[in-house]
Amino acid sequence: MHRLAACFIACLTMFPAQAAEVTSYTLDNGLEVVVIEDHRAPVVVHMVWYRVGAADEPPGKSGIAHFVEHLMFRGTDDLKPGEFSEIVASNGGTDNAFTSWDFTGYFQRVAADRLDLMMQIEADRMRDLLLTQEEVDINLDVILEERNQRTENDPGALFAEQRRAALFMNHPYGIPVIGWKHEMEGLELEDAEAFYRKFYAPNNAVLIVAGDVVPEEVLELAKIHYGPLAPSQGLQERKRPSEPPQLAERRLLFEDPKVGEPYVVRTYLAPERNPGAQDEAAALAMLAELLGGNSATSVLGRKLQFEEKKAVYASAFYQGLSLDHGTFALFIVPLPGMSLQEAEDALDQAVAEFMEDGIDLEHFERIKMQIRAARIYAEDSVQAQARNFGTALTSGLEIEDVEAWPDILRAVTPEQVMAAADRVFDRRRSVTGWIRKPQESEVTQ
């Protein structure tokens, strides 16, 4: 669920929806309230986002953010374990949660006339979660099994985990969201309680309500249910360990008998979107679309898959919506019979030619048209709109930045894109990874 949620969020924030009417308030206890008014269907999405994620965990306690996410469904002073989701389902709704490095989020999608009830039960578990040793033991087994299924038994997931750990030499973005297994095994009741009491509070949260609602009525409900909750004392601005100057390219060779198709990934550190300063991120978003957005028309797809027929798949990705560092990645799956070294060389040659030849202006304008279309399509989902704002607001951006992003993307010039490419393609700030079945020959150079 969490890996799919992350991919979903990344897609939405590249070409986000923007609601026609966005209203925001702040309660006396510090809770930020954002209302996205959309009356096309009698439904509402109710989300609470906490400004805490895997990158905010105490040293040696990796996985605690995700662990607490599981425990949030295990009962309060008013609700029995599991009763929260039962109430949502009995009222015709759906609910779930997700954890990333910068945030943890909880949501329900219900009929608009059930909003009051959703606020009641969500506010209840914001400060009144009841944790017992029995529930901690049960859910620790659950998250360890989740890691076994989704990471330990998946060579692609292990490969991604190793690459990320190599890319971030000092920053906690190098620690997996689910946690390192040996540290997860040591999580205790006291760890969960301390994390919950500190970070699960109105002054560390954003309430987002999107759908068939009136902002003033949402505010009054928020005051009733969330307003009485006490803020957490001593919360400070989030400051993580910073990356030292990266002076040397890093390379990984990951081998596993379960690997299906071998492939090559190179990931670079890249600038993130920052409040009031999103131009560089917009240029990188456009660069990723130019190089790898569509297999049939992108630079890498057209050249490596169709013209030279060296790849099954080739692409580029930019993830810039984060509190601290972004990443830019190049990816190639070679055709059968081609070595990974040959695949990497072909990928490098294609990028070098792009840097030499520059941008096809017709392709550039087509991408801008696609951005406008993607925004229109995304507006069909109130949940997409809510996720877009929630991800941004818990990653350091403001509402104004979210609203400005589509226009900033449209204003990007080819010169800005090429300048951003020149800066980001610094091999000293990169990790190149090969994944394949074990072999006796062909080693990385």
Side-chain angles (χ1 to χ4, degrees), residues 31 46-50 69 72-73 76 79 84-85 87-88 94-97 104-109 114-129 196 200 205-208 225-226 229:
L31 178 70
H46 173 262
M47 287 184 148
V48 173
W49 297 70
Y50 293 94
E69 176 211 312
M72 283 285 281
F73 292 87
T76 70
L79 298 175
F84 185 102
S85 294
I87 291 173
V88 176
T94 58
D95 73 314
N96 218 320
T104 309
Y106 303 83
F107 71 90
Q108 304 86 43
R109 187 178 188 274
R114 300 296 192 271
L115 177 60
D116 180 66
L117 177 60
M118 295 304 103
M119 282 203 188
Q120 177 186 333
I121 59 177
E122 190 68 81
D124 179 42
R125 67 176 177 177
M126 180 178 281
R127 296 305 266 166
D128 290 337
L129 188 67
Y196 170 75
Y200 279 66
V206 181
L207 167 65
I208 298 182
H225 296 296
Y226 293 100
L229 302 181

Side-chain angles (χ1 to χ4, degrees), residues 167-168 243-244 246 267-271 325-328 423-424 429-430:
L167 182 64
F168 293 100
E243 279 295 298
Q246 295 197 355
T267 307
Y268 300 84
L269 282 185
H325 301 282
T327 59
F328 194 99
R423 286 187 290 270
V424 80
R429 293 163 56 83
S430 75

Side-chain angles (χ1 to χ4, degrees), residues 52-69:
V52 63
D56 302 296
E57 296 167 333
K61 302 296 181 181
S62 65
I64 190 69
H66 174 246
F67 187 31
V68 171
E69 176 211 312

